[in-house]
Amino acid sequence: MITYVTVPQSFENMEEATIGKWLKKEGETVALGEALCELITEKTTFELAAEGEGVLRLILAPEKSIVPVGFTLAFIGEANEALPDIEAENTALKELKKDVEDVGENTLKVPSLSVPSLNVTNLSAPASTTATASSAPSNSRVRATPAARRAARDKGLNIEDVAAQFPGKVLSEEDVANYQA
């Protein structure tokens, strides 16, 4: 019987995890309770234990990928078993997570806008307020491991500045160390 290896919701407000390192490779035998991979969240890093035994048949999420809770990471089963097609389910989970983030970002931006009272001497205030609100830092858009965020904070660096030097990448602690100001 095929065992689905999924991202568990380890704490109440956990929404996603970054795959750290795979501790097993495709084709290796896996025992019940054996560590399969590292999962990195905003609060902790932990090893994901196998909930089944057999052969690690297929890894669906490579290292350093960010996946939502419930995402199927891999399959464990017998060597000759047919694997299910869960690409649609995984894609739907990612899209749902993206839609929720988009709604959350729009919702969060509204309260931060302040509308000054208009008077004849203060006609330029709304334009400058809009510029200030749109240039506010948005750490939620920077993809970085918790260790990278901590390293940037310890060095007094803005994580967005570091991300600008490594576009499209999930920042690691090593990236922060290699950042050239």
Side-chain angles (χ1 to χ4, degrees), residues 1-5 28-36 49-56 75-78:
M1 180 169 84
I2 294 289
T3 301
Y4 290 64
V5 178
E28 289 185 341
T29 302
V30 177
L32 182 66
E34 191 171 11
L36 294 173
E51 294 182 9
E53 57 186 17
V55 174
L56 182 58
F75 296 117
I76 299 172
E78 298 302 317

Side-chain angles (χ1 to χ4, degrees), residues 36-55:
L36 294 173
C37 67
E38 292 176 340
L39 290 181
I40 304 165
T41 70
E42 287 183 16
K43 294 185 177 186
T44 187
T45 298
F46 62 96
E47 292 180 346
L48 181 62
E51 294 182 9
E53 57 186 17
V55 174

Side-chain angles (χ1 to χ4, degrees), residues 90-108:
N90 274 350
T91 302
L93 274 173
K94 280 188 168 184
E95 289 300 317
L96 179 63
K97 172 75 173 122
K98 182 179 177 228
D99 290 346
V100 168
E101 284 176 352
D102 290 346
V103 168
E105 285 178 9
N106 291 337
T107 304
L108 292 175

Side-chain angles (χ1 to χ4, degrees), residues 87-172:
E87 184 177 343
E89 290 89 345
N90 274 350
T91 302
L93 274 173
K94 280 188 168 184
E95 289 300 317
L96 179 63
K97 172 75 173 122
K98 182 179 177 228
D99 290 346
V100 168
E101 284 176 352
D102 290 346
V103 168
E105 285 178 9
N106 291 337
T107 304
L108 292 175
K109 286 180 184 176
V110 173
S112 68
L113 294 176
S114 62
V115 179
S117 59
L118 285 178
N119 60 37
V120 177
T121 59
N122 194 15
L123 288 178
S124 64
S128 64
T129 301
T130 303
T132 303
S134 65
S135 64
S138 174
N139 287 343
S140 65
R141 293 184 183 222
V142 173
R143 296 175 54 198
T145 65
R149 290 183 188 277
R150 186 172 41 256
R153 189 172 48 246
D154 291 348
K155 289 184 171 196
L157 298 173
N158 182 340
I159 195 74
E160 289 181 337
D161 293 340
V162 178
Q165 201 169 65
F166 302 95
K169 183 176 181 189
V170 177
L171 296 178
S172 67

Side-chain angles (χ1 to χ4, degrees), residues 13 64 73 115:
N13 60 349
K64 297 188 180 182
L73 301 172
V115 179

